[in-house]
Amino acid sequence: MSTGEELLRSRGLRVTRPRLAVLDVLGGGGHLEVDEITRRVRMRLDSVSTQAVYDILGALSRAGLSRRIEPAGSPARYEARAGDNHHHVVCRGCGEIADVDCATGSAPCLDPNLAHGYEVDEAEVTFWGLCPACRIRRDTDH
Ligand SMILES: [Zn+2]
Ligand SMILES: [Zn+2]
Ligand SMILES: [Zn+2]
């Protein structure tokens, strides 16, 4: 089980137990809030402060090992799937988030007709709708 260590070393990051624990939690998949990440890290290590988890997430994100997303109206979330320019579909009912592959795979996947002279390097695409569970709830509520 050295994949976490190898990942950290490959990005020039010092290997520490809290960093390995955060990587391990993110590796479980999903889009997790910091509180949830901290809770799961503490199940592995006794004393890790929320601030330490924030610092680790910042370092991992800068190193390209995690990605931070922040849909409107939702706290920041982190995921291990980074670097592939995928997008998200967010449920308006419950806030559930799912990954959506990018059709082009590289940023920016949309080209503005008029960029006002900017060199555009990313289009932040978020799809909004109702997840399957919320659709069922809507259809049976009335
Ligand atoms: Zn939902
Ligand atoms: Zn994602
Ligand atoms: Zn795209």
Side-chain angles (χ1 to χ4, degrees):
M1 285 296 288
S2 60
T3 50
E5 296 182 28
E6 285 164 9
L7 272 178
L8 290 171
R9 289 208 180 92
S10 73
R11 307 295 168 115
L13 292 178
R14 203 158 47 86
V15 177
T16 65
R17 292 180 65 218
R19 281 179 176 173
L20 288 174
V22 171
L23 266 184
D24 191 43
V25 168
L26 291 177
H31 306 84
L32 305 176
E33 293 177 25
V34 176
D35 285 352
E36 177 63 15
I37 295 169
T38 305
R39 197 180 66 76
R40 294 193 195 180
V41 166
R42 285 184 183 145
M43 284 159 52
R44 294 163 167 78
L45 301 173
D46 286 339
S47 59
V48 179
S49 68
T50 306
Q51 186 57 48
V53 171
Y54 270 107
D55 292 346
I56 291 167
L57 288 167
L60 294 179
S61 298
R62 283 191 297 278
L65 294 177
S66 82
R67 178 171 161 187
R68 178 183 195 275
I69 61 167
E70 193 168 358
S74 162
R77 293 158 182 269
Y78 290 83
E79 63 180 328
R81 190 176 164 186
D84 66 351
N85 198 49
H86 74 273
H87 306 301
H88 295 101
V89 56
V90 184
C91 178
R92 290 189 192 283
C94 66
E96 176 88 3
I97 300 174
D99 287 334
V100 179
D101 286 339
C102 178
T104 64
S106 62
C109 53
L110 304 168
D111 276 315
N113 288 329
L114 180 63
H116 302 285
Y118 284 58
E119 184 180 285
V120 175
D121 58 32
E122 182 184 352
E124 191 175 287
V125 181
T126 303
F127 301 94
W128 294 87
L130 274 186
C131 75
C134 287
R135 289 175 58 196
I136 291 170
R137 222 169 287 139
R138 176 196 61 188
D139 295 343
T140 53
D141 261 7
H142 43 81

